[in-house]
Amino acid sequence: MKIEIKALAEKYGTPLYVYDFDYISNRYTTLKEAFGGKKSLINYAVKANSNLSVIAHLAKLGAGADCVSIGEVKRALSAGIAPYRIIFSGVGKRDDEIHDALHLDILLLNLESEAEMKRVEMMAKELGKKARISIRVNPNIDPQTHPYISTGLHENKFGVEIDMAKRMYIYAKKSESLDPIGIHFHIGSQLTNLTPIRESCAIVADLVRSLKAINIDIKFFDVGGGIGVVYDDEVTITAKEYTGAIFEVTKGLDVTLLCEPGRYMVANAGVFLTKVLYEKVNGSKRFVIIDGAMNDLIRPSLYNAYHKIEAVEVEGTLTPADVVGPVCESGDFLGKDVALPPLEHNDILLVHSTGAYGFTMASNYNTRAKPAEVALEKGEDRLIRRRESYDDQVALELEYLKK
Ligand code: LLP
């Protein structure tokens, strides 16, 4: 992809997100093949990158969607994912979201509390529907990842304890408005170690066995998302290792296996292109000031996340520099102590592994327009979201302006 970078920056401007759709196809196929002949559905976690064209690309490959708001459900539907391939999770669903999800007849509403279950039951009854549900179980396993993206411990807000889940299933089974056919867990994101996945999967599989024994027939076993990717030099889980561990602990269970990868599908499909504005030195500290910023890519500021940064087609001795944006926050950096050659106005920097949780976490802070997004597919490039304008940003305010 590197050869085209300058031309892409020229054609579409910067800052810019570029996604390699062929890479996404490859990731999808690799994971799907690792499930072999087993009944399985890959529900792409839309939150990682919710551009309609990205979702549509995965839809064509056969993916379903894992959504965490009704907005994401609508995106998945607009992009061509069938309702019966969509699941809706989230720790707090509003009435209007539950209503729409029931109305749209999606595969599963994934419930995260007893109170939410009662609410769904009531609303399904009003609509004369039987809500297909799964329950998110919190297996109390430490996923060994960043605390902000860890979700599978009791101290996290997600899911319900095993005993509570059991009580909820028994209640749901008796309800005329609930159909408890799925089970779900998701212990965290960027998991590079298989052990916590295997352990939580085993705990949940045991629960399914005990539910089946009392005639509660769980048909969908959802292992969540979280497969880690390489940002730097991490050794992470392969698709085969991942499915192998799942097969091992779900042995004998007649279920369709669901998983919800987000980052795995798209993180390394994406690069972020940004232009150098200036260089400066404060004391002994070198700064490279760019036209991209924390509002475009917040992962470094928020999680201290590492993204490899390199200068495109610039020669010279490498010295360390902090790569910073123009936003009025000291936390506005994309990289610290990055080895870079001497840079000039308009040189291009390439920020790697930015296909997941890049654009979707972007904001308009400092009234900065969100970047454009471009797809590369089979040697062609095309715009999949135009750059925001000032007018786009004020559109929802202007009519209320009193001077
Ligand atoms: N399923 C559920 C229920 C989730 O909560 C998540 C992510 C996923 C699937 C997809 O996880 P993945 O396969 O992408 O790891 N903003 C953070 C990541 C937050 C992830 C939240 N949940 C980041 O930039 O690292």
Side-chain angles (χ1 to χ4, degrees), residues 45 47 66 136 149 184 186 189-190 225-227 260-263 299 303 357 361:
K47 64 169 82 70
D66 162 49
R136 178 166 180 174
I149 50 177
H184 172 269
H186 169 84
S189 200
Q190 184 55 11
I227 313 171
E260 307 168 344
R263 192 188 314 265
R299 301 193 73 255
Y303 313 114
Y357 307 107
M361 294 179 82

Side-chain angles (χ1 to χ4, degrees), residues 170-211:
I170 292 168
Y171 178 92
K173 174 77 180 168
K174 288 188 190 140
S175 167
E176 280 177 10
S177 308
L178 298 171
D179 194 7
I181 54 167
I183 199 156
H184 172 269
F185 66 94
H186 169 84
I187 56 170
S189 200
Q190 184 55 11
L191 309 175
T192 51
N193 183 346
L194 206 53
T195 312
I197 300 178
R198 187 187 288 109
E199 282 175 6
S200 36
C201 205
I203 291 171
V204 178
D206 277 347
L207 175 59
V208 170
R209 287 187 188 96
S210 68
L211 291 171

